[in-house]
């Protein structure tokens, strides 16, 4: 019987310099797609290794290349190139939308690819101490000082703990310059609110760094464009210099919207490594509708739902695979509507459904 696989717990995130660089260098390779018959032909050692690789593969979030992501990649590529040659008229990129629409996934993917491209142009950039990409999450109840500290911490730049924003600002600008930062990605900007900003307007804080550094900026947050985030003179100036990507949940309505929803699910289904799963099961009309009801069209909720289903299909004992027990196979090795219905929905999706029903 195969022993339970032990996984290392990550000690960093992409909001940490080491974690971001680890994601830049990691190129996971998916295990081979096998049928039951092909699995049985493997040696015992190969079966054990395939199962271990498959378990780890299913635990990783699968990044789907959507039309929105392609648009963002192209837009940021052009923006960064133009900003290098017109420092007095630089643009920013704004990604706004509801929770779960994929803003963070797009931002992280842009950061990884941007640094990979930078490495191809400057292969010795690490030995030179360069940090071409900074990725931070706006701290909860964020103040200007906390914002400064988040930037400096990512760059591993020391600072006096007692310094306020006005004293930290030169440290931030100097660190961005000395580390040759090309792109700053700021997530969860909706946490930067008037209640935590003292006498400094949100737009003023962002514009300070936009004007005083030479990096390009990506701003991401929940419903930034409809919440008054860019109100005020400075906020209006930033908005007028920004290219906007407004994300929305996917739809299962007939026509192009359903085609995109189907393509998204098909991509995630192709990522599965289940011995008894039939390709195309998840893209049938009834399954498309079920998955939409369970996720509300949220790409993050869909990803988590199918990840959970894949793990359940490989770890929850099922009599359909009794003959494979000695080979380490215990689950049903397939995803169907019955399995989908046993999985609890993402909390945000469940709350949204409750609110919709309450309004009727």
């Amino acid at each position: 019987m195969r022993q339970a696989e032990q996984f290392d717990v990550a000690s960093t995130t992409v909001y940490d310099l080491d974690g971001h660089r680890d994601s830049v260098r990691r190129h996971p390779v998916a295990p081979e797609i096998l049928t039951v018959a092909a699995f049985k032909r493997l040696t015992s050692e190969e079966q054990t290794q395939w199962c271990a690789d498959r378990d780890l593969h299913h635990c990783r979030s699968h990044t789907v290349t959507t039309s929105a992501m392609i648009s963002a990649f192209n837009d940021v590529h052009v923006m960064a190139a133009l900003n290098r040659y017109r420092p007095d008229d630089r643009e920013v990129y704004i990604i706004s939308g509801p929770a779960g629409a994929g803003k963070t996934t797009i931002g992280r993917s842009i950061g990884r690819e941007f640094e990979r491209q930078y490495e191809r142009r400057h292969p010795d950039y690490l030995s030179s101490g360069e940090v071409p990409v900074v990725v931070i999450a706006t701290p909860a109840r964020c103040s200007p000082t906390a914002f400064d500290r988040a930037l400096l911490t990512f760059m591993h730049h020391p600072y006096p703990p007692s310094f306020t924003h006005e004293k930290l600002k030169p440290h931030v600008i100097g660190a961005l310059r000395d580390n040759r930062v090309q792109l700053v990605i700021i997530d969860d900007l909706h946490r930067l609110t008037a209640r935590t900003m003292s006498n400094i307007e949100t737009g003023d804080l962002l514009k300070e760094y936009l004007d005083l550094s030479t990096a390009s900026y990506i701003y991401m947050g929940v419903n930034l464009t409809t919440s008054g985030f860019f109100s005020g003179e400075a906020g209006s100036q930033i908005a007028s210099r920004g290219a906007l990507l407004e994300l929305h949940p996917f739809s299962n309505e007939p026509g192009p919207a359903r085609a995109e929803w189907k393509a998204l699910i098909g991509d995630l289904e192709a990522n599965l490594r289940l011995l008894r799963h039939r390709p195309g099961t998840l893209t049938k009309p009834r399954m498309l509708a079920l998955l939409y009801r369970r996720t509300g069209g949220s790409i993050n909720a869909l990803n988590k739902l199918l990840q959970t289903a894949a793990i359940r299909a490989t770890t929850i004992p099922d009599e359909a695979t009794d003959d494979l027990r000695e080979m380490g196979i215990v689950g049903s090795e397939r995803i169907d509507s019955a399995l989908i219905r046993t999985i609890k929905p993402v909390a945000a999706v469940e709350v949204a459904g409750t609110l919709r029903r309450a309004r009727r």
Side-chain angles (χ1 to χ4, degrees), residues 234-344:
S236 298
Q237 287 180 340
I238 291 176
S240 67
R241 293 167 62 178
L244 172 66
L245 176 65
E246 187 79 43
L247 299 181
H248 304 279
F250 286 83
S251 171
N252 192 40
E253 292 297 318
R258 180 175 293 171
E260 189 171 20
W261 177 242
K262 181 178 180 179
L264 171 63
I265 293 173
D267 192 328
L268 291 171
E269 184 176 32
N271 189 54
L272 298 173
R273 296 298 184 266
L274 299 172
L275 298 175
R276 298 177 63 241
H277 185 83
R278 294 184 178 181
T281 298
L282 302 185
T283 54
K284 293 179 179 179
R286 288 187 178 181
M287 186 63 83
L288 290 176
L290 174 62
L291 292 173
Y292 184 77
R293 288 196 301 271
R294 299 305 306 275
T295 64
S298 163
I299 187 172
N300 287 358
L302 176 65
N303 205 341
K304 291 175 183 177
L305 177 66
L306 295 183
Q307 273 187 286
T308 303
I311 294 170
R312 289 181 69 89
T314 58
T315 58
I316 304 300
D318 191 288
E319 61 183 17
T321 51
D322 280 347
D323 61 323
L324 300 176
R325 287 286 189 274
E326 293 305 315
M327 300 178 191
I329 302 298
V330 299
S332 64
E333 292 291 325
R334 68 179 183 181
I335 296 176
D336 55 22
S337 58
L339 177 58
I340 291 295
R341 290 190 179 96
T342 67
I343 299 172
K344 295 179 180 178

Side-chain angles (χ1 to χ4, degrees), residues 91-111:
E91 289 187 351
V92 299
Y93 198 68
I94 303 166
I95 304 178
S96 177
K103 299 180 296 297
T104 297
T105 299
I106 290 175
R108 291 173 177 176
S109 299
I110 290 173

Side-chain angles (χ1 to χ4, degrees), residues 107-252:
R108 291 173 177 176
S109 299
I110 290 173
R112 283 195 300 269
E113 185 56 31
F114 191 96
E115 186 151 336
R116 287 169 181 167
Q117 292 177 0
Y118 188 87
E119 184 175 23
R120 287 192 282 272
R121 300 194 304 271
H122 308 280
D124 298 326
Y125 79 102
L126 289 179
S127 61
S128 302
E130 297 176 35
V131 183
V133 177
V134 169
V135 187
I136 67 165
T138 306
R141 301 174 63 84
C142 185
S143 66
T145 301
F147 192 78
D148 297 335
R149 290 172 178 171
L151 289 167
L152 292 169
T153 298
F154 184 94
M155 292 181 281
H156 293 183
H157 189 91
Y159 58 87
S162 61
F163 273 20
T164 61
H165 167 66
E166 286 304 319
K167 289 186 176 181
L168 284 175
K169 182 167 59 176
H171 286 258
V172 175
I173 299 304
L176 291 171
R177 180 192 63 240
D178 296 343
N179 289 303
R180 300 193 63 178
V181 175
Q182 308 293 305
L183 181 66
V184 179
I185 302 173
I186 306 172
D187 200 359
D188 294 329
L189 259 179
H190 51 273
R191 293 176 174 175
L192 212 56
T193 65
R195 289 179 297 176
T196 62
M197 290 295 291
S198 302
N199 295 322
I200 302 177
E201 293 291 337
T202 298
D204 289 327
L205 177 66
L206 298 177
K207 194 170 184 298
E208 281 181 343
Y209 290 127
L210 180 62
D211 291 340
L212 296 175
S213 71
T214 58
S216 294
Y217 286 81
I218 298 177
Y219 301 147
M220 303 189 299
V222 174
N223 300 328
L224 295 180
T225 57
T226 58
S227 62
F229 186 86
F230 291 109
S231 60
E233 183 177 340
S236 298
Q237 287 180 340
I238 291 176
S240 67
R241 293 167 62 178
L244 172 66
L245 176 65
E246 187 79 43
L247 299 181
H248 304 279
F250 286 83
S251 171
N252 192 40

